[in-house]
Amino acid sequence: MGEHTASRKTANPTDGIVDAVRGAVVDVVFAEEDLPSINSALVVEWDRPTPLILEVHSHLDLHTVRAVAFQSTAGLARGVSVHATGGPVEVPVGTAVLGRLLDVVGNPQDNGPELAKDTPRRSIHALPPLLKSQTGATEVYETGIKVIDLLTPMAQGGKAAMFGGAGVGKTVLVMELIRAMVEKYEGISVFAGIGERSREGHELLTEMQSSGVLERTVLVYGQMNEPPGARWRAALTALTVSEYFRDQKHKNVLLLMDNVFRFVQAGAEVSSLLGRLPSRVGYQPTLATEVARLQERIASVAGSAVTAIQAVYVPADDFTDPAVTTISSHMDCVIVLSRAQAAEGFYPAIDPLASSSMLLDPLIVGEAHYETAEAVRQALARFRELTDIISLLGVEELGASDRLIVKRARRLQRFLTQPFMVTEAFTGTPGASVVLADTLAGCRAILDGEADDWSESSLYMVGTLEDARKKEADAKASETSDAGPAA
């Protein structure tokens, strides 16, 4: 302790000294026993151009705190002075941050001008709205994506999550939803990029600039190459910006998060560095608490709604993973992306049977929508049951009614695919947005046998049933013209 005592004599009584550095976790010793409180911010006074922000997470003894760093600690040495700010980490909010790309502590990272000194700031830690002030979500939010609007309707002011393994199209689906919603949506969008690749973040930024929606959007990034502290708190920074627009400006907010699993993963890294024993499957013992603290703040109050759309990576396609089950328990709408669907070329690769929504209720969506959705689901479920028999014996061995169900289910599968606007540059197929009435009419017609004689390919990657009808007519016309000279 001799070294600490000497350090204390030279330090300002409210300042501390770096005592130990373990990657993203830093121990700081203070001379006084009046230690900074949990979740308060510390600033490391080192010789680098950017300040190093720490957040206090535990008091080890009467003089030592353990803190998590929000930036890289490379080059940090013992004995460096640390200043206690006396309050939590505060980030800029309000109209000044619209159209800007911020890091976890609110510094602009888009090569634009610095934020004004008088920009309002808010703590990243806040309590959720009181239960009595929250409003329920029953208004359906049309996305223009057929399979979502039909089978897993989203709620205005609700929470929806897309679950899927690596490479099944979560980010593409989130980007399509951003494009679809911002066009119809008179509100503010806040995007939290949590632990995603820098390439994806750059693509999203350029996509938003080119589509002209950046002026009403705030981007908060804690990328994959950043320390776990930055990835862990980026979601709270985005939430804080959303809450300001909801509570102070009374605006509707669309909150997008990609990827919430990385938030859990960063929490697990921090937890082990803080010295906590791991829990199930190696996750942090505080997993349920951390996810609940994040999700319960995403709430709507009278007059302004926060609608959350979240992408969730599923490790090794294991949907029983503790992180996945914990996150899904907070959702109104669960959209499951399936590798089998993607392998067959059905995009968006949404599993219609595993996905669900609390809004798919006749009292909310109406009897016609509910009955159509149930009929589609029953046809697809029966087809899935018969798949093994078909692969062993062939379709011819089925009964007449089952053969008819298989024929219609295969056409429904293809009709529920859709070309996206964000993939036009890669596929060459113009994107399609379909209103709910057209989706319902198309599914109803297929179930009633209107498309029984059509080629299955006519229904693949089209918008409405009219588009499919036109495609079928064009295919027949070209067949006739091809057959003409040969005859």
Side-chain angles (χ1 to χ4, degrees):
M1 285 296 289
E3 184 188 331
H4 295 166
T5 310
S7 304
R8 289 191 199 117
K9 284 176 185 170
T10 56
N12 181 319
T14 61
D15 286 357
I17 298 291
V18 173
D19 181 52
V21 183
R22 296 177 195 81
V25 169
V26 180
D27 289 356
V28 182
V29 172
F30 288 85
E32 303 294 317
E33 290 184 7
D34 184 16
L35 295 177
S37 58
I38 299 295
N39 285 342
S40 66
L42 310 175
V43 181
V44 176
E45 295 173 343
W46 62 350
D47 55 355
R48 302 296 166 99
T50 54
L52 175 60
I53 311 290
L54 311 177
E55 188 178 70
V56 177
H57 277 277
S58 59
H59 291 182
L60 300 182
D61 56 40
L62 292 175
H63 292 284
T64 314
V65 299
R66 184 160 284 172
V68 174
F70 284 177
Q71 292 91 3
S72 173
T73 54
L76 182 62
R78 296 179 69 194
V80 175
S81 184
V82 178
H83 174 65
T85 61
V89 173
E90 293 189 334
V91 294
V93 293
T95 51
V97 297
L98 287 173
R100 303 304 301 271
L101 192 159
L102 309 176
D103 67 7
V104 67
V105 291
N107 297 324
Q109 300 293 318
D110 52 9
N111 298 327
E114 287 295 309
L115 296 172
K117 296 284 183 200
D118 59 350
T119 304
R121 287 181 168 266
R122 290 288 183 275
S123 162
I124 64 169
H125 299 284
L127 294 172
L130 294 172
L131 202 57
K132 64 182 180 184
S133 67
Q134 292 184 26
T135 55
T138 55
E139 190 184 331
V140 176
Y141 203 100
E142 260 191 61
T143 63
I145 298 171
K146 289 181 286 190
V147 65
I148 291 178
D149 290 342
L150 174 71
L151 298 174
T152 59
M154 288 186 184
Q156 168 97 12
K159 289 190 277 255
M162 273 142 247
F163 295 88
V168 292
K170 294 183 300 299
T171 301
V172 171
L173 190 52
V174 167
M175 285 172 73
E176 182 68 13
L177 283 167
I178 292 170
R179 180 183 272 265
M181 289 186 169
V182 167
E183 284 176 4
K184 315 174 184 175
Y185 191 82
E186 293 306 316
I188 302 296
S189 299
V190 180
F191 180 85
I194 308 165
E196 285 299 282
R197 302 162 192 85
S198 301
R199 169 184 59 77
E200 290 177 344
H202 187 261
E203 279 175 10
L204 183 73
L205 180 61
T206 51
E207 173 75 30
M208 286 192 156
Q209 283 170 334
S210 63
S211 59
V213 299
L214 195 60
E215 310 78 74
R216 290 190 285 129
T217 307
V218 185
L219 302 171
V220 180
Y221 282 177
Q223 294 295 96
M224 202 176 259
N225 59 319
E226 293 185 56
R231 289 179 270 128
W232 194 36
R233 292 304 193 213
L236 299 191
T237 303
L239 255 177
T240 304
V241 174
S242 305
E243 286 167 342
Y244 180 84
F245 283 113
R246 179 194 69 194
D247 299 334
Q248 307 299 319
K249 301 291 185 184
H250 305 292
K251 288 185 178 291
N252 287 339
V253 181
L254 177 61
L255 177 63
L256 301 129
M257 293 191 195
D258 189 8
N259 185 304
V260 183
F261 176 78
R262 306 286 179 211
F263 160 79
V264 172
Q265 205 173 32
E269 282 183 56
V270 169
S271 179
S272 57
L273 287 167
L274 288 170
R276 296 184 190 135
L277 288 172
S279 180
R280 279 196 307 159
V281 199
Y283 285 108
Q284 61 270 45
T286 52
L287 171 66
T289 312
E290 283 175 20
V291 171
R293 271 198 198 124
L294 173 71
Q295 300 293 350
E296 291 304 308
R297 280 174 66 182
I298 304 170
S300 302
V301 295
S304 41
V306 175
T307 306
I309 296 171
Q310 307 172 29
V312 184
Y313 167 69
V314 178
D317 290 349
D318 178 12
F319 286 89
T320 62
D321 187 87
V324 175
T325 54
T326 305
I327 294 165
S328 65
S329 65
H330 291 272
M331 298 299 149
D332 307 317
C333 173
V334 173
I335 297 167
V336 175
L337 293 157
S338 148
R339 195 168 299 284
Q341 293 277 107
E344 290 185 49
F346 297 141
Y347 288 101
I350 294 169
D351 186 330
L353 303 180
S355 305
S356 62
S357 170
M358 289 183 181
L359 267 74
L360 194 59
D361 182 305
L363 297 173
I364 296 170
V365 297
E367 287 287 346
H369 181 165
Y370 178 76
E371 285 169 9
T372 303
E374 282 302 295
V376 167
R377 197 166 268 169
Q378 282 171 9
L380 293 172
R382 182 63 182 150
F383 176 45
R384 190 169 288 183
E385 283 171 20
L386 296 169
T387 305
D388 288 344
I389 297 170
I390 293 166
S391 59
L392 287 169
L393 304 172
V395 183
E396 294 73 25
E397 295 302 314
L398 299 175
S401 62
D402 279 345
R403 276 207 303 276
L404 197 59
I405 286 170
V406 168
K407 179 187 276 192
R408 289 174 185 173
R410 286 177 63 87
R411 281 158 177 74
L412 282 169
Q413 268 187 332
R414 282 150 183 77
F415 181 63
L416 292 176
T417 61
Q418 190 168 339
F420 281 171
M421 292 179 193
V422 294
T423 58
E424 271 183 34
F426 310 106
T427 61
T429 309
S433 178
V434 183
V435 296
L436 178 61
D438 287 343
T439 301
L440 293 174
C443 290
R444 197 72 260 168
I446 292 167
L447 287 164
D448 291 343
E450 198 174 309
D452 283 0
D453 299 327
W454 296 9
S455 163
E456 287 179 2
S457 59
S458 299
L459 292 152
Y460 178 68
M461 283 292 173
V462 294
T464 62
L465 194 69
E466 286 308 310
D467 296 338
R469 185 177 276 114
K470 186 173 180 301
K471 197 172 169 184
E472 174 72 8
D474 291 348
K476 282 191 172 156
S478 66
E479 275 175 29
T480 310
S481 63
D482 288 348

